[in-house]
Amino acid sequence: MFASIEKYNGPAKVLLGLIALTFVGFGVSTVAAPGSDYIAKVGDEKISDHALNVALQNAQAAGDNSGRDVIFNSLLQRAYLIQGAKMMGISVSNEQIKQIIVDDPGFHDASGKFSQAMFSQYLSQRNMNEDQFVEEIRQQFALQNLMNLVQNGTLVSDAQAAQLVNLMQSERTIRSFTFSPQAFAAQVKITDAALKSYYDAHQADYTIPEAVKIEYVALSSQDLAAKQSVSEEELQKAFEQENAAAAPKREVAHIFFPVPQDASAAVDAAAKAEAEKVLAQVKAKPADFAALAKQYSKDPASADKGGNLGYVAKDGGLGEAFENSAFSLQKGQISDVVKTDYGYHIITVLNTQDAPVFAQEKTRLEAEIKQRKAAQAFNLAKEKLAEEAFNHPESLAAVAKAAGLKLEAPDEWLTRENGKAAGMPDDLINTIFSDEVLKKKHNSEPINVGENTVWVVRAKEVRPAEVETFEKAKEHVRTAYLQSEAGKLAEAKAKQTLVDLQSGESPALAWSPVSQLSAEQARQSMPPEAYSQLMKARPAGGKPAYVLLEGLPAPVLMEVQAIKPPANLAEQLPQARQLLLQNQANTTFDGLLAYLQKNIKQKQGAQKVDNGGQ
């Protein structure tokens, strides 16, 4: 609806996307205490808990899983922009709004004319009246016009775009020298006083973190599934229900030669020729089909299995051409080359199944029924586990016995850091280090640690955080101090060498061999600060440029001898111009928002962002 509203990238897209979501109840008067009907008020624009909930639901429906804080901040920015549009006199007249509604195809009947009935139905579905809807459109188009000012106020010349392309895509002729800190280690003087001073300044590095030894019980639906029993009668019933209208199936294998949908005729012809070449080998030795599939098929999911795709039915998602060919073959027969939307196939039928066979399906059905029973049993077992953990807060062994679970008690110390490194969920780590578990040593509630798996944990032993004494940490301090001081010497030498080179001197350096460095290689191999420094180094007057790259494990001095612009400069200008326009628009947007936040008063209401608890 309202196709005339343009779509933007960046912040504007989020802000405009939230419009038309939050005006239910607009204009309703209240005698409640001031501030009780909003979380925050920007100028005269209120953001309520209800508005936040509606915006959050719409964001989630659109596939955006941002939290309440993120959505609230977007609504807050939108409120500033609405107030900013008013300050700047940006408005839309009632006549313009009326025309917008009349012109919207969403309110047109089959003859293409505006339908009051369709319009009224739309308002009814959204629980709005016409005044509320008009105000919504007024704000929507005021914001649109403000965004247009931001977007249209930026200009980019061809020279600027060309400069960006040259900067980002040129190839550089370079050589480099690395100032390894190890080479300066012998120059570092180490004394106990220096080590103690370093230790005092870096005590946080020698803090032994808080740790705990835990015990836990784990409840898993997989474990419960193994304990379920399934009768022969249940299996037979499930088989009959599932296969009452079962279609015939074929166990098929294929050798696949992919062709991109936008491929040229030459690419298509090459793939077809390769398929026909392999088909000749298959026809000559049908028994070698699996081996040839492993050798030639470009389908990674089936090639290692000799091309086997398992049993498939018609309308099974493999495409009409593929399935028609498969179901026209008898067991052991091999197709000609078959063209589908994805490329070329050579197909063979390994087995046919005109009706499902109970013996073949029995194992699968048993596993599925056990899993369904386990899912039902899991919720009951989880409730019982929570009850037992609450009733026996200081004994997890009693809980394990009552729930029929094994008590696990690893002997390793667990810290927040090594827990995260081991892949523990944040909820589990936070629970283990909570006051209830860590300090009171009580059982936790059941905590989700994976799909249909929960743990109840308890602290057996706690080790408080403490700073390692200087004497205990001395050898580690020595190593760290040596690395730090050697790094400083390497950095100082690198900076001085850069000054010497830029002054025209020729210090003796064991330069690396001259090589070509593309912009893409530089982006992938360098941290952002080093890449940015390299981009600024430009040879001039027949002399190389020198730059000291930072953010690397050791200082690297790079000599840029020449810069070769990309050959397809003209082709890249439109994309570069668009990128610069977007960056400039985002910068202007950020500046406008900062100005509005500084000059428009915001007031805190009684409602809270986390009221909804979603």
Side-chain angles (χ1 to χ4, degrees), residues 39 49 52-53 68-69 72 604 607-613:
I39 302 171
D49 175 65
L52 176 56
N53 286 337
R68 290 176 68 82
D69 287 340
F72 172 73
Q604 188 68 35
Q607 296 180 355
K608 303 296 182 185
V609 173
D610 59 356
N611 277 353

Side-chain angles (χ1 to χ4, degrees), residues 140-186:
Q140 192 167 358
F141 273 81
L143 267 179
Q144 174 72 70
N145 290 336
L146 180 61
M147 296 302 179
N148 287 341
L149 289 175
V150 171
Q151 191 88 339
N152 296 334
T154 56
L155 296 173
V156 174
S157 67
D158 285 347
Q160 289 173 300
Q163 184 178 24
L164 178 64
V165 173
N166 283 328
L167 189 68
M168 303 293 289
Q169 300 296 332
S170 295
E171 184 179 73
R172 287 161 172 78
T173 303
I174 59 100
R175 62 177 182 168
S176 63
F177 178 78
T178 300
F179 291 83
S180 172
Q182 286 81 0
F184 297 86

Side-chain angles (χ1 to χ4, degrees), residues 148-227:
N148 287 341
L149 289 175
V150 171
Q151 191 88 339
N152 296 334
T154 56
L155 296 173
V156 174
S157 67
D158 285 347
Q160 289 173 300
Q163 184 178 24
L164 178 64
V165 173
N166 283 328
L167 189 68
M168 303 293 289
Q169 300 296 332
S170 295
E171 184 179 73
R172 287 161 172 78
T173 303
I174 59 100
R175 62 177 182 168
S176 63
F177 178 78
T178 300
F179 291 83
S180 172
Q182 286 81 0
F184 297 86
Q187 301 177 30
V188 178
K189 295 181 179 180
I190 299 177
T191 65
D192 281 353
L195 295 179
K196 183 63 166 63
S197 177
Y198 183 88
Y199 166 82
D200 291 340
H202 299 84
Q203 283 199 10
D205 295 341
Y206 305 103
T207 298
I208 301 174
E210 181 179 52
V212 59
K213 289 185 178 181
I214 64 168
E215 55 185 8
Y216 69 93
V217 293
L219 174 66
S220 165
S221 65
Q222 287 297 116
D223 294 336
L224 290 175
K227 299 176 182 179

Side-chain angles (χ1 to χ4, degrees), residues 72 133 181 256 265 332 369 410 458 474 540 571:
F72 172 73
F133 188 55
F256 179 49
I369 295 172
R458 182 176 174 274
K474 191 172 182 178
E571 296 175 14

